[in-house]
Amino acid sequence: MTGSRKLGLGILAFIAIVGVGLGVMFGFKAVKPKQSQPRIVATTYAVVQIADKLQLPLVGVPTTANKIPERYKNVTRVGSPMNPNVEKIAGLKPTVVYSVTTLADQFGKAFSKRHIKPYFLNLTSVSALETTVRQMGRRYHRQSQATRAIKQVETAKQTAKQVAAGYHHHPKVLVLMGLPGASYMIGTNRSYIGNLVSISGGRNVFTSKDQEYIQPNDESIKKAKPDVILRLEHALPKMVTAQFNQTFKQDPMWQTIPAVKHHRVYDLQEPDFDATANMRAAIAISKISKWLYPQSGGTT
């Protein structure tokens, strides 16, 4: 009897231990909190494009004339990239606010007063874009989406490289960024468009070690004799295009430039082109490649 009783007590103890263990395990699962959904605010269209490619949720997007992806059509608009609405952003209770490094100076005291510290993504070049997308993919567990997006850009780069390799002459390119108010800046090799030119096999006629844009100089432009001119219409495109056309028509200097003489002046418009890199980089590379190495001459 004593042996049977001990055996019985042992079995009961074992069952009790197992029961407690199972209870703890299932109890932990029952009370384990769900992983909180990130509340991301994108203050530039380029960041929205990255988020869309990575299928990320957004609670705030910039106010822009560009078409917002369908998944974000009902998301709160937070103002222009250069002047976002701090109060509106704060009201969204974001876990992170993304902008780009080129706009870092626009985010000052207003944000710090609301204890909001924006994170600035480096989109100054195609390689920087790829690095940023890869990092974002890891951070939000979207590695497969990031890989697909980067592959599209890499394919375009390789195609452009192969096209350029078939030519002995690599055209000299002048990059202009139009500004509302009848003015423009020259984009160097350090600018995003300058980077696209390099990838596509062109030679930027203005280079710099650290400046993306420099002041124009008529004598330097005439001396450079660019074969191709790329005009970026970044802000208020209709106005900027009209300004460019008027300047090129009225200023006799432009009529001496080979690119103008041979009708190889091209207007770069959003959303394919911008002052910073974006997820339409593959399309931008393809277009510039065709402009630099046309099959049957250039067109205006």
Side-chain angles (χ1 to χ4, degrees), residues 44 46 100 102 123-125 192 212-213 232 234 273-278:
T44 75
V100 293
T102 51
L123 301 179
T124 55
S125 67
Y192 169 55
E212 293 184 47
Y213 296 95
L232 175 63
H234 174 49
F273 297 95
D274 207 333
T276 58
N278 57 71

Side-chain angles (χ1 to χ4, degrees), residues 62-193:
T63 304
T64 173
N66 291 309
K67 185 178 179 181
I68 295 294
E70 185 69 18
R71 72 174 79 241
Y72 308 128
K73 67 177 183 179
N74 296 320
V75 172
T76 301
R77 272 40 173 186
V78 297
S80 70
M82 296 189 69
N83 188 30
N85 189 316
V86 183
E87 297 300 320
K88 188 171 287 187
I89 291 174
L92 296 173
K93 301 185 181 338
T95 55
V96 64
V97 176
Y98 286 116
S99 183
V100 293
T101 53
T102 51
L103 294 179
D105 292 340
Q106 307 295 326
F107 292 72
K109 296 180 180 179
F111 275 83
S112 60
K113 284 182 180 179
R114 295 306 303 261
H115 304 290
I116 298 174
K117 186 178 180 180
Y119 187 85
F120 300 101
L121 301 178
N122 184 358
L123 301 179
T124 55
S125 67
V126 173
S127 62
L129 168 70
E130 292 176 330
T131 298
T132 294
V133 171
R134 194 173 290 110
Q135 291 173 341
M136 293 278 283
R138 286 197 298 265
R139 176 170 183 176
Y140 296 105
H141 308 292
R142 301 291 201 281
Q143 287 94 331
S144 61
Q145 292 92 332
T147 299
R148 283 197 298 270
I150 293 171
K151 185 177 181 180
Q152 292 177 346
V153 179
E154 286 296 318
T155 298
K157 287 165 63 176
Q158 289 300 320
T159 300
K161 184 177 180 180
Q162 291 171 2
V163 170
Y167 290 78
H168 294 294
H169 173 71
H170 299 292
K172 295 182 293 183
V173 183
L174 171 64
V175 176
L176 304 177
M177 182 173 75
L179 303 171
S183 62
Y184 61 88
M185 297 288 286
I186 290 177
T188 72
N189 58 305
R190 305 294 297 182
S191 68
Y192 169 55
I193 302 301

Side-chain angles (χ1 to χ4, degrees), residues 141-271:
H141 308 292
R142 301 291 201 281
Q143 287 94 331
S144 61
Q145 292 92 332
T147 299
R148 283 197 298 270
I150 293 171
K151 185 177 181 180
Q152 292 177 346
V153 179
E154 286 296 318
T155 298
K157 287 165 63 176
Q158 289 300 320
T159 300
K161 184 177 180 180
Q162 291 171 2
V163 170
Y167 290 78
H168 294 294
H169 173 71
H170 299 292
K172 295 182 293 183
V173 183
L174 171 64
V175 176
L176 304 177
M177 182 173 75
L179 303 171
S183 62
Y184 61 88
M185 297 288 286
I186 290 177
T188 72
N189 58 305
R190 305 294 297 182
S191 68
Y192 169 55
I193 302 301
N195 181 234
L196 292 177
V197 168
S198 177
I199 289 171
S200 303
R203 294 182 293 156
N204 197 316
V205 294
F206 289 96
T207 61
S208 174
K209 290 183 178 180
D210 53 11
Q211 289 183 285
E212 293 184 47
Y213 296 95
I214 59 176
Q215 293 290 337
N217 181 289
D218 285 0
E219 287 304 315
S220 296
I221 293 174
K222 287 174 65 176
K223 186 177 179 180
K225 297 180 179 179
D227 302 304
V228 176
I229 296 177
L230 303 179
R231 309 189 307 194
L232 175 63
E233 301 162 355
H234 174 49
L236 302 177
K238 290 184 179 180
M239 179 187 295
V240 172
T241 300
Q243 290 173 183
F244 268 137
N245 290 337
Q246 185 176 17
T247 299
F248 274 53
K249 183 178 181 180
Q250 294 180 349
D251 188 342
M253 184 273 291
W254 291 108
Q255 304 309 313
T256 68
I257 305 300
V260 177
K261 288 181 178 179
H262 300 127
H263 308 291
R264 299 189 68 186
V265 179
Y266 304 95
D267 291 327
L268 280 54
Q269 300 175 333
E270 295 179 328

